Amino acid sequence: MTIQETIEQKIATSLAPVHLEVINESHMHNVPPGSESHFKVVIVTDTFDGVTRVRRQQQVNGILAAELQGGVHALSMQTLTPQEWEARGGSIIQSPACLGGGGNKD
Amino acid sequence: MDDNPVFTSIKEDVESNDVVLFMKGTPVFPQCGFSAATVQALTLLGVKFKGIDVLQDPSLRDGIKQYSSWPTIPQLYVKGEFVGGCDIVREMYETGELGELLTSSGIAMEPAA
């Protein structure tokens, strides 16, 4: 299973999302072709209702702890309730371009 | 966790400055796209903030992640409270919540015309 599939499966199992996108954005960064290092996830689920943004992302970081300690360098996320998703018109914020700095995961 | 000396300096920084951004690089020369995007949101709001470059200090780079149990950089603090990382700051900027938070915290903003 690819890392992308693992991320999809873990989030789907833990958070029961009504909408889930896992996007491999590694090509936007300074890594070899075919890498699985930079991901964006869009998670829309009722379980985020009444949970602060910080707590939502901490939940996702917990679910994907093994991946984040492994090969995944960056995980951008949009964590929304179905109501928030609808209010946004189902659109997502584009990720920023890489500036090449640091070179390490965080 | 209180015995980590770096927490003392983090605490001092976030409590003595209204708005603090721990980032990679400086506000003028960010070295990471996520840090740059966060600086941009703050700049568009016209809020003064202190940028702290974690690349200058490995113990800070590591310590800041433990300080708020947040595994990534950048990290924004307002009045000593952790607000979020890049995704959260950009989302709050877009919805207007970031401006509201700053206003309700009594922090001045001078948006560019």
Side-chain angles (χ1 to χ4, degrees):
Chain A
M1 195 159 33
T2 62
I3 295 175
Q4 182 160 358
E5 287 163 349
T6 306
I7 293 174
E8 281 168 2
Q9 194 178 69
K10 285 192 175 178
I11 294 174
T13 309
S14 306
L15 295 172
V18 296
H19 178 82
L20 172 64
E21 287 176 60
V22 178
I23 305 162
N24 185 346
E25 296 191 325
S26 306
H27 64 276
M28 293 165 63
H29 298 272
N30 190 19
V31 292
S35 293
E36 291 193 290
S37 54
H38 296 68
F39 286 94
K40 167 150 65 191
V41 298
V42 181
I43 306 167
V44 183
T45 174
D46 284 316
T47 60
F48 287 148
D49 208 15
V51 180
T52 66
R53 287 192 179 87
V54 168
R55 288 292 307 146
R56 293 174 190 183
Q57 292 207 13
Q58 283 173 332
Q59 275 180 23
V60 178
N61 283 327
I63 293 164
L64 300 177
E67 286 66 35
L68 289 165
Q69 273 167 22
V72 176
H73 287 236
L75 180 67
S76 170
M77 51 181 119
Q78 280 162 53
T79 48
L80 305 162
T81 64
Q83 290 77 13
E84 290 164 349
W85 175 244
E86 201 170 313
R88 297 185 62 98
S91 70
I92 60 175
I93 300 175
Q94 294 304 310
S95 296
C98 178
L99 299 181
N104 283 311
K105 59 165 117 183
D106 58 8
Chain B
M1 105 166 213
D2 288 331
D3 52 7
N4 189 335
V6 79
F7 290 160
T8 311
S9 76
I10 292 171
K11 199 163 190 292
E12 237 172 65
D13 273 321
V14 300
E15 287 180 355
S16 59
N17 298 280
D18 283 344
V19 185
V20 183
L21 182 67
F22 292 88
M23 60 179 292
K24 291 183 176 177
T26 65
V28 180
F29 292 108
Q31 296 198 41
C32 156
F34 296 98
S35 288
T38 310
V39 167
Q40 192 190 19
L42 296 173
T43 306
L44 286 169
L45 285 174
V47 62
K48 284 206 178 87
F49 66 96
K50 178 174 183 181
I52 298 177
D53 182 4
V54 302
L55 296 178
Q56 301 302 318
D57 181 352
S59 68
L60 175 62
R61 181 172 176 172
D62 194 51
I64 191 66
K65 296 178 194 170
Q66 295 164 35
Y67 186 78
S68 286
S69 304
W70 193 257
T72 53
I73 292 152
Q75 294 187 15
L76 179 69
Y77 292 77
V78 173
K79 294 272 186 191
E81 293 287 326
F82 175 56
V83 176
C86 175
D87 294 318
I88 289 176
V89 172
R90 291 176 82 202
E91 199 176 312
M92 289 179 73
Y93 171 75
E94 293 211 343
T95 60
E97 285 166 82
L98 187 57
E100 286 165 22
L101 171 70
L102 294 169
T103 304
S104 67
S105 304
I107 298 166
M109 289 174 281
E110 290 173 25

